[in-house]
Amino acid sequence: MGDDQVAKVTTQLAWTMDLFATIAEISGAKLPQGVTFDGVSMMPILKGELSTRDSLFHWRGNKLMAVRHNQFKAHFYTEGEFEWNSPALGKHDPPILFDISQDPAERFPITATSTTYHYADIMAAISKVAAAHLADIKMADPQMNTCDKSVALWKPDLPVPPSKPYNCCQDPCSSW
């Protein structure tokens, strides 16, 4: 990584899960064999090469909420902000689709009647990636599936709700 890489911008996919694999590679640490990690090394991106990542999977507990594949992101479920008075979990059928490269704030969904995009083809590709991911993953009990609205983010002008811990993932969470 020479000076020619300073101040460059990339649109390649990476996220915080990739830090572990990246730091391991930089430090020369060997990751255990036979263990699947969520992250991939960002070293190709840092070297100005292409990343091996083309998809990101957004989970909440054991529920696959959304999938980002290349420039598109499909929401299978959405939930309000992490505030105690947020809307409940909602399933979207058909999923809500966005072109993140043109709409990073996810304000303008792509619909089945779009003249710019072919919704069915994009969703077929995302569904294939999601199905492969789900087939490859070993589900475990979430370590952070207990919620308590009294300790969630709340606005100072709202009263603090009573403490009532509950399981955030109350329905069969493995379905999407």
Side-chain angles (χ1 to χ4, degrees), residues 18-46:
D18 297 334
L19 289 173
F20 180 75
T22 306
I23 293 168
E25 184 175 342
I26 290 170
S27 68
K30 302 292 181 207
L31 298 178
Q33 297 295 314
V35 178
T36 302
F37 292 94
D38 293 327
V40 299
S41 177
M42 293 183 287
M43 284 307 295
I45 297 171
L46 296 174

PDB file of all heavy atoms in Angstrom, residues 18-46:
ATOM      1  N   ASP A  18     -15.639  -7.174   8.324  1.00  0.00           N
ATOM      2  CA  ASP A  18     -14.423  -7.448   7.560  1.00  0.00           C
ATOM      3  C   ASP A  18     -13.148  -7.023   8.298  1.00  0.00           C
ATOM      4  O   ASP A  18     -12.047  -7.393   7.895  1.00  0.00           O
ATOM      5  CB  ASP A  18     -14.477  -6.747   6.200  1.00  0.00           C
ATOM      6  CG  ASP A  18     -15.611  -7.264   5.324  1.00  0.00           C
ATOM      7  OD1 ASP A  18     -16.027  -8.425   5.500  1.00  0.00           O
ATOM      8  OD2 ASP A  18     -16.080  -6.504   4.462  1.00  0.00           O
ATOM      9  N   LEU A  19     -13.283  -6.253   9.357  1.00  0.00           N
ATOM     10  CA  LEU A  19     -12.098  -5.791  10.082  1.00  0.00           C
ATOM     11  C   LEU A  19     -11.298  -6.950  10.681  1.00  0.00           C
ATOM     12  O   LEU A  19     -10.070  -6.945  10.639  1.00  0.00           O
ATOM     13  CB  LEU A  19     -12.487  -4.795  11.178  1.00  0.00           C
ATOM     14  CG  LEU A  19     -12.943  -3.422  10.684  1.00  0.00           C
ATOM     15  CD1 LEU A  19     -13.467  -2.592  11.842  1.00  0.00           C
ATOM     16  CD2 LEU A  19     -11.814  -2.705   9.965  1.00  0.00           C
ATOM     17  N   PHE A  20     -11.969  -7.942  11.243  1.00  0.00           N
ATOM     18  CA  PHE A  20     -11.282  -9.068  11.877  1.00  0.00           C
ATOM     19  C   PHE A  20     -10.378  -9.788  10.872  1.00  0.00           C
ATOM     20  O   PHE A  20      -9.189  -9.994  11.124  1.00  0.00           O
ATOM     21  CB  PHE A  20     -12.309 -10.042  12.475  1.00  0.00           C
ATOM     22  CG  PHE A  20     -11.695 -11.234  13.143  1.00  0.00           C
ATOM     23  CD1 PHE A  20     -11.081 -11.120  14.379  1.00  0.00           C
ATOM     24  CD2 PHE A  20     -11.744 -12.485  12.541  1.00  0.00           C
ATOM     25  CE1 PHE A  20     -10.516 -12.227  14.996  1.00  0.00           C
ATOM     26  CE2 PHE A  20     -11.183 -13.590  13.143  1.00  0.00           C
ATOM     27  CZ  PHE A  20     -10.571 -13.456  14.378  1.00  0.00           C
ATOM     28  N   ALA A  21     -10.935 -10.152   9.723  1.00  0.00           N
ATOM     29  CA  ALA A  21     -10.152 -10.863   8.707  1.00  0.00           C
ATOM     30  C   ALA A  21      -9.033  -9.977   8.150  1.00  0.00           C
ATOM     31  O   ALA A  21      -7.933 -10.466   7.858  1.00  0.00           O
ATOM     32  CB  ALA A  21     -11.060 -11.340   7.576  1.00  0.00           C
ATOM     33  N   THR A  22      -9.305  -8.688   8.022  1.00  0.00           N
ATOM     34  CA  THR A  22      -8.296  -7.757   7.499  1.00  0.00           C
ATOM     35  C   THR A  22      -7.133  -7.616   8.472  1.00  0.00           C
ATOM     36  O   THR A  22      -5.962  -7.711   8.077  1.00  0.00           O
ATOM     37  CB  THR A  22      -8.929  -6.373   7.234  1.00  0.00           C
ATOM     38  OG1 THR A  22     -10.059  -6.534   6.380  1.00  0.00           O
ATOM     39  CG2 THR A  22      -7.932  -5.424   6.599  1.00  0.00           C
ATOM     40  N   ILE A  23      -7.434  -7.411   9.738  1.00  0.00           N
ATOM     41  CA  ILE A  23      -6.380  -7.275  10.753  1.00  0.00           C
ATOM     42  C   ILE A  23      -5.598  -8.577  10.882  1.00  0.00           C
ATOM     43  O   ILE A  23      -4.370  -8.557  11.020  1.00  0.00           O
ATOM     44  CB  ILE A  23      -6.981  -6.817  12.094  1.00  0.00           C
ATOM     45  CG1 ILE A  23      -7.507  -5.384  11.952  1.00  0.00           C
ATOM     46  CG2 ILE A  23      -5.961  -6.921  13.222  1.00  0.00           C
ATOM     47  CD1 ILE A  23      -8.370  -4.909  13.094  1.00  0.00           C
ATOM     48  N   ALA A  24      -6.297  -9.706  10.814  1.00  0.00           N
ATOM     49  CA  ALA A  24      -5.596 -10.996  10.870  1.00  0.00           C
ATOM     50  C   ALA A  24      -4.612 -11.124   9.710  1.00  0.00           C
ATOM     51  O   ALA A  24      -3.462 -11.545   9.900  1.00  0.00           O
ATOM     52  CB  ALA A  24      -6.600 -12.146  10.850  1.00  0.00           C
ATOM     53  N   GLU A  25      -5.042 -10.741   8.511  1.00  0.00           N
ATOM     54  CA  GLU A  25      -4.144 -10.830   7.360  1.00  0.00           C
ATOM     55  C   GLU A  25      -2.959  -9.870   7.491  1.00  0.00           C
ATOM     56  O   GLU A  25      -1.810 -10.253   7.234  1.00  0.00           O
ATOM     57  CB  GLU A  25      -4.897 -10.550   6.054  1.00  0.00           C
ATOM     58  CG  GLU A  25      -4.006 -10.724   4.831  1.00  0.00           C
ATOM     59  CD  GLU A  25      -4.743 -10.586   3.509  1.00  0.00           C
ATOM     60  OE1 GLU A  25      -5.988 -10.693   3.483  1.00  0.00           O
ATOM     61  OE2 GLU A  25      -4.064 -10.370   2.491  1.00  0.00           O
ATOM     62  N   ILE A  26      -3.218  -8.645   7.906  1.00  0.00           N
ATOM     63  CA  ILE A  26      -2.138  -7.664   8.060  1.00  0.00           C
ATOM     64  C   ILE A  26      -1.117  -8.135   9.095  1.00  0.00           C
ATOM     65  O   ILE A  26       0.086  -8.005   8.906  1.00  0.00           O
ATOM     66  CB  ILE A  26      -2.711  -6.282   8.457  1.00  0.00           C
ATOM     67  CG1 ILE A  26      -3.470  -5.667   7.283  1.00  0.00           C
ATOM     68  CG2 ILE A  26      -1.601  -5.337   8.930  1.00  0.00           C
ATOM     69  CD1 ILE A  26      -4.273  -4.430   7.650  1.00  0.00           C
ATOM     70  N   SER A  27      -1.605  -8.718  10.194  1.00  0.00           N
ATOM     71  CA  SER A  27      -0.715  -9.137  11.279  1.00  0.00           C
ATOM     72  C   SER A  27      -0.061 -10.488  11.027  1.00  0.00           C
ATOM     73  O   SER A  27       0.824 -10.888  11.772  1.00  0.00           O
ATOM     74  CB  SER A  27      -1.484  -9.185  12.597  1.00  0.00           C
ATOM     75  OG  SER A  27      -2.442 -10.239  12.562  1.00  0.00           O
ATOM     76  N   GLY A  28      -0.519 -11.203   9.999  1.00  0.00           N
ATOM     77  CA  GLY A  28       0.033 -12.518   9.712  1.00  0.00           C
ATOM     78  C   GLY A  28      -0.583 -13.632  10.537  1.00  0.00           C
ATOM     79  O   GLY A  28      -0.106 -14.764  10.522  1.00  0.00           O
ATOM     80  N   ALA A  29      -1.652 -13.337  11.279  1.00  0.00           N
ATOM     81  CA  ALA A  29      -2.319 -14.361  12.088  1.00  0.00           C
ATOM     82  C   ALA A  29      -3.024 -15.360  11.183  1.00  0.00           C
ATOM     83  O   ALA A  29      -3.561 -14.996  10.137  1.00  0.00           O
ATOM     84  CB  ALA A  29      -3.329 -13.710  13.039  1.00  0.00           C
ATOM     85  N   LYS A  30      -3.019 -16.591  11.576  1.00  0.00           N
ATOM     86  CA  LYS A  30      -3.698 -17.652  10.830  1.00  0.00           C
ATOM     87  C   LYS A  30      -5.062 -17.903  11.461  1.00  0.00           C
ATOM     88  O   LYS A  30      -5.162 -18.177  12.653  1.00  0.00           O
ATOM     89  CB  LYS A  30      -2.880 -18.941  10.847  1.00  0.00           C
ATOM     90  CG  LYS A  30      -1.483 -18.788  10.274  1.00  0.00           C
ATOM     91  CD  LYS A  30      -1.540 -18.522   8.792  1.00  0.00           C
ATOM     92  CE  LYS A  30      -0.132 -18.403   8.244  1.00  0.00           C
ATOM     93  NZ  LYS A  30      -0.041 -17.582   7.074  1.00  0.00           N
ATOM     94  N   LEU A  31      -6.109 -17.796  10.654  1.00  0.00           N
ATOM     95  CA  LEU A  31      -7.451 -18.078  11.145  1.00  0.00           C
ATOM     96  C   LEU A  31      -7.662 -19.586  11.189  1.00  0.00           C
ATOM     97  O   LEU A  31      -7.131 -20.319  10.351  1.00  0.00           O
ATOM     98  CB  LEU A  31      -8.488 -17.417  10.234  1.00  0.00           C
ATOM     99  CG  LEU A  31      -8.426 -15.890  10.145  1.00  0.00           C
ATOM    100  CD1 LEU A  31      -9.475 -15.372   9.179  1.00  0.00           C
ATOM    101  CD2 LEU A  31      -8.623 -15.267  11.517  1.00  0.00           C
ATOM    102  N   PRO A  32      -8.431 -20.072  12.164  1.00  0.00           N
ATOM    103  CA  PRO A  32      -8.651 -21.518  12.279  1.00  0.00           C
ATOM    104  C   PRO A  32      -9.335 -22.090  11.034  1.00  0.00           C
ATOM    105  O   PRO A  32     -10.200 -21.442  10.442  1.00  0.00           O
ATOM    106  CB  PRO A  32      -9.558 -21.659  13.491  1.00  0.00           C
ATOM    107  CG  PRO A  32      -9.729 -20.319  14.083  1.00  0.00           C
ATOM    108  CD  PRO A  32      -9.118 -19.310  13.180  1.00  0.00           C
ATOM    109  N   GLN A  33      -8.933 -23.295  10.657  1.00  0.00           N
ATOM    110  CA  GLN A  33      -9.547 -23.991   9.525  1.00  0.00           C
ATOM    111  C   GLN A  33     -10.883 -24.578   9.964  1.00  0.00           C
ATOM    112  O   GLN A  33     -11.073 -24.917  11.126  1.00  0.00           O
ATOM    113  CB  GLN A  33      -8.624 -25.109   9.035  1.00  0.00           C
ATOM    114  CG  GLN A  33      -7.292 -24.612   8.506  1.00  0.00           C
ATOM    115  CD  GLN A  33      -7.473 -23.765   7.259  1.00  0.00           C
ATOM    116  OE1 GLN A  33      -8.207 -24.116   6.355  1.00  0.00           O
ATOM    117  NE2 GLN A  33      -6.800 -22.617   7.230  1.00  0.00           N
ATOM    118  N   GLY A  34     -11.816 -24.699   9.041  1.00  0.00           N
ATOM    119  CA  GLY A  34     -13.111 -25.314   9.326  1.00  0.00           C
ATOM    120  C   GLY A  34     -14.089 -24.405  10.043  1.00  0.00           C
ATOM    121  O   GLY A  34     -15.136 -24.852  10.480  1.00  0.00           O
ATOM    122  N   VAL A  35     -13.746 -23.141  10.188  1.00  0.00           N
ATOM    123  CA  VAL A  35     -14.627 -22.175  10.833  1.00  0.00           C
ATOM    124  C   VAL A  35     -15.012 -21.126   9.800  1.00  0.00           C
ATOM    125  O   VAL A  35     -14.160 -20.604   9.090  1.00  0.00           O
ATOM    126  CB  VAL A  35     -13.929 -21.489  12.038  1.00  0.00           C
ATOM    127  CG1 VAL A  35     -14.838 -20.451  12.662  1.00  0.00           C
ATOM    128  CG2 VAL A  35     -13.489 -22.518  13.056  1.00  0.00           C
ATOM    129  N   THR A  36     -16.294 -20.844   9.704  1.00  0.00           N
ATOM    130  CA  THR A  36     -16.760 -19.826   8.775  1.00  0.00           C
ATOM    131  C   THR A  36     -16.832 -18.492   9.497  1.00  0.00           C
ATOM    132  O   THR A  36     -17.436 -18.397  10.567  1.00  0.00           O
ATOM    133  CB  THR A  36     -18.153 -20.195   8.210  1.00  0.00           C
ATOM    134  OG1 THR A  36     -18.061 -21.452   7.574  1.00  0.00           O
ATOM    135  CG2 THR A  36     -18.632 -19.147   7.221  1.00  0.00           C
ATOM    136  N   PHE A  37     -16.213 -17.482   8.919  1.00  0.00           N
ATOM    137  CA  PHE A  37     -16.247 -16.139   9.490  1.00  0.00           C
ATOM    138  C   PHE A  37     -17.146 -15.265   8.637  1.00  0.00           C
ATOM    139  O   PHE A  37     -17.234 -15.430   7.427  1.00  0.00           O
ATOM    140  CB  PHE A  37     -14.828 -15.552   9.540  1.00  0.00           C
ATOM    141  CG  PHE A  37     -13.940 -16.263  10.514  1.00  0.00           C
ATOM    142  CD1 PHE A  37     -13.126 -17.302  10.099  1.00  0.00           C
ATOM    143  CD2 PHE A  37     -13.935 -15.902  11.851  1.00  0.00           C
ATOM    144  CE1 PHE A  37     -12.322 -17.974  10.996  1.00  0.00           C
ATOM    145  CE2 PHE A  37     -13.133 -16.572  12.758  1.00  0.00           C
ATOM    146  CZ  PHE A  37     -12.314 -17.604  12.324  1.00  0.00           C
ATOM    147  N   ASP A  38     -17.805 -14.301   9.277  1.00  0.00           N
ATOM    148  CA  ASP A  38     -18.697 -13.399   8.557  1.00  0.00           C
ATOM    149  C   ASP A  38     -17.941 -12.435   7.661  1.00  0.00           C
ATOM    150  O   ASP A  38     -18.461 -11.985   6.657  1.00  0.00           O
ATOM    151  CB  ASP A  38     -19.551 -12.587   9.542  1.00  0.00           C
ATOM    152  CG  ASP A  38     -20.531 -13.456  10.306  1.00  0.00           C
ATOM    153  OD1 ASP A  38     -21.009 -14.439   9.728  1.00  0.00           O
ATOM    154  OD2 ASP A  38     -20.815 -13.138  11.466  1.00  0.00           O
ATOM    155  N   GLY A  39     -16.720 -12.095   8.030  1.00  0.00           N
ATOM    156  CA  GLY A  39     -15.969 -11.098   7.292  1.00  0.00           C
ATOM    157  C   GLY A  39     -14.977 -11.695   6.312  1.00  0.00           C
ATOM    158  O   GLY A  39     -14.588 -12.849   6.406  1.00  0.00           O
ATOM    159  N   VAL A  40     -14.587 -10.870   5.366  1.00  0.00           N
ATOM    160  CA  VAL A  40     -13.515 -11.205   4.427  1.00  0.00           C
ATOM    161  C   VAL A  40     -12.489 -10.078   4.500  1.00  0.00           C
ATOM    162  O   VAL A  40     -12.811  -8.954   4.869  1.00  0.00           O
ATOM    163  CB  VAL A  40     -14.021 -11.380   2.974  1.00  0.00           C
ATOM    164  CG1 VAL A  40     -15.026 -12.509   2.875  1.00  0.00           C
ATOM    165  CG2 VAL A  40     -14.617 -10.098   2.438  1.00  0.00           C
ATOM    166  N   SER A  41     -11.262 -10.383   4.175  1.00  0.00           N
ATOM    167  CA  SER A  41     -10.213  -9.382   4.241  1.00  0.00           C
ATOM    168  C   SER A  41     -10.461  -8.257   3.230  1.00  0.00           C
ATOM    169  O   SER A  41     -10.811  -8.503   2.081  1.00  0.00           O
ATOM    170  CB  SER A  41      -8.852 -10.013   3.966  1.00  0.00           C
ATOM    171  OG  SER A  41      -7.847  -9.018   3.975  1.00  0.00           O
ATOM    172  N   MET A  42     -10.231  -7.046   3.686  1.00  0.00           N
ATOM    173  CA  MET A  42     -10.349  -5.880   2.823  1.00  0.00           C
ATOM    174  C   MET A  42      -9.022  -5.544   2.148  1.00  0.00           C
ATOM    175  O   MET A  42      -8.916  -4.520   1.460  1.00  0.00           O
ATOM    176  CB  MET A  42     -10.821  -4.667   3.639  1.00  0.00           C
ATOM    177  CG  MET A  42     -12.232  -4.804   4.160  1.00  0.00           C
ATOM    178  SD  MET A  42     -12.797  -3.320   5.046  1.00  0.00           S
ATOM    179  CE  MET A  42     -11.873  -3.435   6.572  1.00  0.00           C
ATOM    180  N   MET A  43      -8.011  -6.388   2.305  1.00  0.00           N
ATOM    181  CA  MET A  43      -6.707  -6.098   1.716  1.00  0.00           C
ATOM    182  C   MET A  43      -6.768  -5.876   0.201  1.00  0.00           C
ATOM    183  O   MET A  43      -6.100  -4.965  -0.292  1.00  0.00           O
ATOM    184  CB  MET A  43      -5.699  -7.193   2.069  1.00  0.00           C
ATOM    185  CG  MET A  43      -5.197  -7.085   3.510  1.00  0.00           C
ATOM    186  SD  MET A  43      -4.534  -5.459   3.931  1.00  0.00           S
ATOM    187  CE  MET A  43      -3.118  -5.384   2.851  1.00  0.00           C
ATOM    188  N   PRO A  44      -7.542  -6.653  -0.555  1.00  0.00           N
ATOM    189  CA  PRO A  44      -7.620  -6.341  -1.989  1.00  0.00           C
ATOM    190  C   PRO A  44      -8.077  -4.906  -2.252  1.00  0.00           C
ATOM    191  O   PRO A  44      -7.516  -4.218  -3.106  1.00  0.00           O
ATOM    192  CB  PRO A  44      -8.622  -7.361  -2.528  1.00  0.00           C
ATOM    193  CG  PRO A  44      -8.529  -8.506  -1.580  1.00  0.00           C
ATOM    194  CD  PRO A  44      -8.290  -7.873  -0.223  1.00  0.00           C
ATOM    195  N   ILE A  45      -9.063  -4.440  -1.511  1.00  0.00           N
ATOM    196  CA  ILE A  45      -9.545  -3.067  -1.686  1.00  0.00           C
ATOM    197  C   ILE A  45      -8.445  -2.078  -1.327  1.00  0.00           C
ATOM    198  O   ILE A  45      -8.205  -1.106  -2.049  1.00  0.00           O
ATOM    199  CB  ILE A  45     -10.805  -2.804  -0.824  1.00  0.00           C
ATOM    200  CG1 ILE A  45     -11.963  -3.708  -1.260  1.00  0.00           C
ATOM    201  CG2 ILE A  45     -11.221  -1.339  -0.900  1.00  0.00           C
ATOM    202  CD1 ILE A  45     -13.159  -3.666  -0.335  1.00  0.00           C
ATOM    203  N   LEU A  46      -7.756  -2.319  -0.224  1.00  0.00           N
ATOM    204  CA  LEU A  46      -6.689  -1.414   0.219  1.00  0.00           C
ATOM    205  C   LEU A  46      -5.528  -1.376  -0.776  1.00  0.00           C
ATOM    206  O   LEU A  46      -4.818  -0.387  -0.864  1.00  0.00           O
ATOM    207  CB  LEU A  46      -6.191  -1.821   1.609  1.00  0.00           C
ATOM    208  CG  LEU A  46      -7.235  -1.714   2.730  1.00  0.00           C
ATOM    209  CD1 LEU A  46      -6.681  -2.287   4.025  1.00  0.00           C
ATOM    210  CD2 LEU A  46      -7.682  -0.276   2.914  1.00  0.00           C
TER     211      LEU A  46
END
